[in-house]
Amino acid sequence: MNPSEEALDAMVALVEAQLLHSDGPASPDLLSELHGSPAPASTPESQTDNSEQSTLERSPATTREVSHRPLGPAPRKTFYPAQRPPYSRMAHASPQDRATSSQPSLPLYMMIPGPKLVPVPSTGPTRHCPAMIHGPAMFQAKQPVFYTSQATAGNVPSRKRKRDADDAGRPYIKKPLNAFMIYRAEQRGAIMQELGITNSAEVNTILGERWGELSEAEQAPYYEKARVLKREHQAKYPDWSPKDNSIVNLSATANLHPMVILQSMADPQCMVHPLYVSTPRPVWITWSTRTHLVSR
DNA sequence: TTTCCTTTGAAGCAC
DNA sequence: GTGCTTCAAAGGAAA
């Protein structure tokens, strides 16, 4: 057994001991003991001290081959074509991320060995979810991928709901359009007709160029419209913030650990490591989209 | 069936 | 303060 395996086994032993002797959540001390700091996954130190692990966790391009329940006996599910090209948003990742993206990737909890799993209670029917909790859908989505489930019923917007209507309990509130988006909505039809283009990406490229060619005076009406939309949005949803659409915030709303939210979204049969079930909600999970899942 | 592509701007967050 | 990331929109293409 190599040192990293020993360390992981030690982590599991600690968690199990905690579970055996307490019905409540793991203490912050336990987390500190496990990770050496309150939020190790998000700190530069942790990424430096355990560069391999950090790199692995932040590499979405290679996660698709890995099951979300690698510790359990059930067969792996694949849900998107494995041949899909690497996540294009890696282009926006840091050079460090890009440099290491070819390395194998595993979320932290998947690196904890052994059959030490507990099932997350399933309290009812769960909507089919095509994505694994750490799978490419989570990494590749332009916005958080939400799927309804019993655990989060009424609060979680799905991609479908996002395009359809408000949920009974909590509407998915979209961001107001910015000036360019208003300009784009106004001009795209004319551009498509003028140039005979139907490809939206191409249209957007042209619109971006034309937007840049506009004078400040020509752009001003669009900024003003955007301000009006923003004021209306604020009046309609005074407490709304874009962060309300994040998974972490939803977990707070549902009073559930984000891992449980994610698990329930992904697969009612899947298992979650006790570490995730027993730890208090403050998140130290390292996710590829660190902004959403680590910062809290 | 689902995501990518492609743009700008607003907002949130980490450092 | 700076830099990074996400998401608003659209619809054809790709997997």
Side-chain angles (χ1 to χ4, degrees), chain A residues 1-14 34 111-113 116:
Chain A
M1 181 179 289
N2 63 43
S4 63
E5 287 175 329
E6 288 179 4
L8 291 169
D9 261 8
M11 289 171 62
V12 173
L14 279 168
L34 288 174
M111 302 177 73
I112 301 172
K116 292 114 178 165

Side-chain angles (χ1 to χ4, degrees), chain A residues 21-291:
Chain A
H21 294 96
S22 170
D23 292 329
S27 67
D29 287 343
L30 171 62
L31 294 180
S32 299
E33 192 169 356
L34 288 174
H35 305 293
S37 71
S42 62
T43 61
E45 290 78 11
S46 67
Q47 292 173 12
T48 302
D49 295 344
N50 195 346
S51 59
E52 181 182 9
Q53 176 173 306
S54 301
T55 296
L56 297 180
E57 291 162 4
R58 286 182 285 113
S59 176
T62 53
T63 59
R64 64 196 57 187
E65 299 295 342
V66 184
S67 166
H68 64 302
R69 47 175 304 169
L71 307 179
R76 176 181 88 183
K77 274 187 190 173
T78 55
F79 45 94
Y80 290 128
Q83 295 77 23
R84 197 168 193 85
Y87 183 30
S88 65
R89 284 195 168 243
M90 285 302 288
H92 301 289
S94 69
Q96 195 175 13
D97 287 341
R98 285 195 293 272
T100 58
S101 63
S102 62
Q103 298 184 22
S105 173
L106 283 174
L108 174 61
Y109 80 96
M110 292 173 60
M111 302 177 73
I112 301 172
K116 292 114 178 165
L117 296 166
V118 296
V120 169
S122 178
T123 55
T126 301
R127 181 181 180 275
H128 167 66
C129 173
M132 296 189 290
I133 51 180
H134 56 277
M138 290 302 299
F139 294 119
Q140 296 179 354
K142 296 261 179 167
Q143 53 264 328
V145 181
F146 294 124
Y147 298 89
T148 56
S149 72
Q150 185 69 22
T152 57
N155 285 335
V156 181
S158 68
R159 287 184 74 81
K160 180 174 184 296
R161 189 187 311 159
K162 170 181 165 298
R163 291 193 176 279
D164 286 346
D166 290 350
D167 181 79
R170 168 181 167 162
Y172 184 95
I173 301 169
K174 295 177 183 177
K175 298 167 67 173
L177 301 186
N178 62 41
F180 175 74
M181 286 293 158
I182 295 169
Y183 170 78
R184 175 194 163 281
E186 186 180 296
Q187 297 293 323
R188 68 181 300 274
I191 292 289
M192 292 171 75
Q193 194 165 18
E194 175 187 337
L195 302 177
I197 301 171
T198 57
N199 184 294
S200 288
E202 195 172 348
V203 170
N204 286 342
T205 301
I206 293 168
L207 284 169
E209 291 172 359
R210 294 197 178 185
W211 174 256
E213 291 168 358
L214 293 180
S215 66
E216 285 188 16
E218 289 170 319
Q219 289 181 347
Y222 298 101
Y223 281 102
E224 180 55 33
K225 287 179 185 176
R227 274 193 291 272
V228 170
L229 285 181
K230 184 182 172 185
R231 278 198 295 270
E232 291 175 353
H233 193 275
Q234 286 175 331
K236 193 172 181 182
Y237 310 108
D239 298 325
W240 180 85
S241 162
K243 72 177 187 294
D244 291 347
N245 292 345
S246 76
I247 290 173
V248 167
N249 197 68
L250 289 165
S251 75
T253 302
N255 198 27
L256 290 170
H257 193 286
M259 196 62 192
V260 177
I261 296 271
L262 293 171
Q263 180 274 334
S264 66
M265 285 188 259
D267 184 350
Q269 301 302 317
C270 88
M271 313 283 274
V272 171
H273 194 279
L275 187 61
Y276 286 86
V277 180
S278 61
T279 52
R281 198 172 347 100
V283 181
W284 49 267
I285 302 169
T286 291
W287 220 264
S288 114
T289 52
R290 294 178 299 165
T291 313

